[in-house]
Amino acid sequence: MSRRFVVEADGGSRGNPGPAGYGALVRDADTGRVLAERAASVGRATNNVAEYGGLVAGLQAALDLDASAEVEVRMDSKLVVEQMSGRWKIKHPDMQQLALQARAIARKLGGVRYTWVPRAQNGAADALANSAMDGRPVHRDAAAEPTVAEDDVQPTAEPAPVVTTVTHLLRHGQTEHTPERRFSGRNDLALSRTGRAEAEAAGERAAELGIEVVVASPLRRTRETAEIVAARLGLPVELDDDLVELDFGDLEGLTADEARARHPLAVRRFMADVAVAAPGGESIADVGRRVARARQRVLDRHAGRTVLVVSHVTPIKLLLAAGLGAGDDVVHRVFLEAASLCTVAWSSDGRSSVRLLNDTAHLR
């Protein structure tokens, strides 16, 4: 009976295009054991090209392990999964070449099928891709590592206690764009009078939550909101660039109707696929990658504490998606008011729970 492998692959780019890297691993489908890991830079490239690089590396690692194996490839890139499954055309020349490489390797294996998974279920490959982009390549094969009999391994210490970090997620107060629901990304708009009043009310609410740390996006509207709340709490504000709002590019400042009128195809593609960037801007998946980095920094630096994160609609929705273990497309199914509060608790054993969503009781 043929062995069965699962290949998990991902790729990313810091800039799209920008410095890019991929990550891939091979698991035994029956035991879940990781048999091989790969992570490498691909130079300056787009997210999609990097994702294809991860696919090629993962398939090659599976082939090296057992050419007769049946392989299920799991990726959170719907684009790559649909293209490799033959349902979507591949137009980009670099992606065409990588797809040809992947298919050539796949033909040498016992069988290959492709499955889309939510981003939250592809964390191991994503971590490898980030390792590559951080300049830390990985080439590991479990079979080449020394092993010891499990019964001979003695525990050296008690297991570490589970630590829970609570993050209260505060959307900034209103600006002049908010009432008309205009795309508001990287602009430097100040809070409106209403927005400042909302921030003051949020500060009173925050004083009841036992907050020990305030972390915020550095854009003006979030920074002002955070400073008003932090003044009420007597705390400094820690700024994190990865918490800024999605770059809406050519859609900046437009209403949804105006955007559809000026860029009908681009808006339709942007709204339909989290991997597609706004014209001249970022994709939701791009934001998801940097928000994941910001979240990990909070959990590393402030483990076990209660943290207020002051950010924007898209980053907060992506933090909620991570807390739920759901895909990035959840952003299209959640509504957040200005100055609303959400709460997610993160445990050091990997569990998380959403405890509050879009709470505006303090604004009434």
Side-chain angles (χ1 to χ4, degrees), residues 44 208 232 298:
R44 183 177 177 81
E208 304 170 357
R232 173 66 179 82
V298 167

Side-chain angles (χ1 to χ4, degrees), residues 10-30:
D10 199 6
S13 170
R14 293 173 181 168
N16 201 29
Y22 65 72
L25 60 133
V26 182
R27 295 186 191 273
D28 184 294
D30 296 317

